[in-house]
Amino acid sequence: MPKIEVCLTPALLDLYAIENSIVVVIDILRATSSITYGIDNGAEAIIPVMNVEDCLNYADKGYLLAAERNGEVVAGYDFGNSPFSYTAEKVAGKTVVLTTTNGTKAMHLAQERAHKVIVGSFLNLAAVCSYLQKENKDVMLLCAGWKDNFNLEDTLFAGAVVAQLQQSFTLGDDASVAALDMYQLAKNDLRGYLKKSSHSHRLVKLNIEDDVQFCLKLDICNTIPVLEGEKLIALPQ
């Protein structure tokens, strides 16, 4: 039986052997939610880059440039990582170059060693779980966290995945057990539970509650973004 593990922050990823694992990168508020929504809405690709400066390498080449730091759009860029920037009207048929505080860094760290890297969010929870069940390989749920610290929202999503897969996978670490327990505690009112979270407080100060509510919607997307080379594209179904 394959195992499922949860890495609570990218700072711990070196402790795990992920060479044979499908890594699901999780940055619920808001990078992986926006990426999922954008690919589902017909974006040709999303290129995650580590630094704001890296975005500039793609300037004037027909790409949309998106940069977020500390929850805010970086001045001079087309948009940040709000899901409402990734509607079909804005991104269909286009390639977006994106850098965020936490999520894009986690993707690059995972890609260095993982068998495969995909993107997970509540928006595509069922699709991700179905795919992982079908592949029958070890799974690492990588929480992007906040600046290498643990956070509640990514861990909650990890717990939601564990809840759906626990009959078919061995729980490989205590973090997967803790994530599952936390999700069972919060699942009937995710937004209410996340009012305790530090990132939720940061986002409230930015007046983007609509983003938070949207990122907690369940299964409105069937697409799974997969990292192929430098680009996130739709996983062939």
Side-chain angles (χ1 to χ4, degrees), residues 98-109:
L98 170 67
T99 183
T100 71
T101 306
N102 306 292
T104 52
K105 173 188 170 185
M107 288 171 208
H108 282 276
L109 285 174

Side-chain angles (χ1 to χ4, degrees), residues 1-6 137-139 162 165-173 176-177:
M1 190 180 284
K3 70 175 183 280
I4 188 165
E5 297 173 303
V6 174
K137 288 187 71 71
D138 289 346
V139 171
V162 175
L165 298 182
Q166 60 183 321
Q167 303 305 321
S168 308
F169 287 76
T170 301
L171 272 59
D173 59 358
S176 59
V177 177

Side-chain angles (χ1 to χ4, degrees), residues 30 33-34 37-38 41 81-87 123 210-211 214-215:
R30 297 161 283 166
S33 302
S34 296
Y37 193 51
N41 279 326
N81 66 347
S82 167
F84 300 114
S85 296
Y86 292 78
T87 60
L123 308 184
D210 287 349
D211 279 20
F214 186 85
C215 291

Side-chain angles (χ1 to χ4, degrees), residues 41-82:
N41 279 326
E44 189 172 301
I46 295 175
I47 301 174
V49 297
M50 291 278 279
N51 303 307
V52 173
E53 297 75 25
D54 295 331
C55 271
L56 294 176
N57 296 329
Y58 296 85
D60 303 318
K61 295 178 182 175
Y63 298 103
L64 292 173
L65 303 184
E68 169 270 334
R69 284 296 181 270
N70 299 314
E72 298 184 277
V73 179
V74 177
Y77 287 81
D78 296 317
F79 45 85
N81 66 347
S82 167

Side-chain angles (χ1 to χ4, degrees), residues 6-13 16 142-150:
V6 174
C7 183
L8 295 171
T9 153
L12 297 174
L13 190 60
Y16 291 88
L142 173 57
C143 301
W146 176 257
K147 298 184 178 180
D148 278 344
N149 285 302
F150 167 88

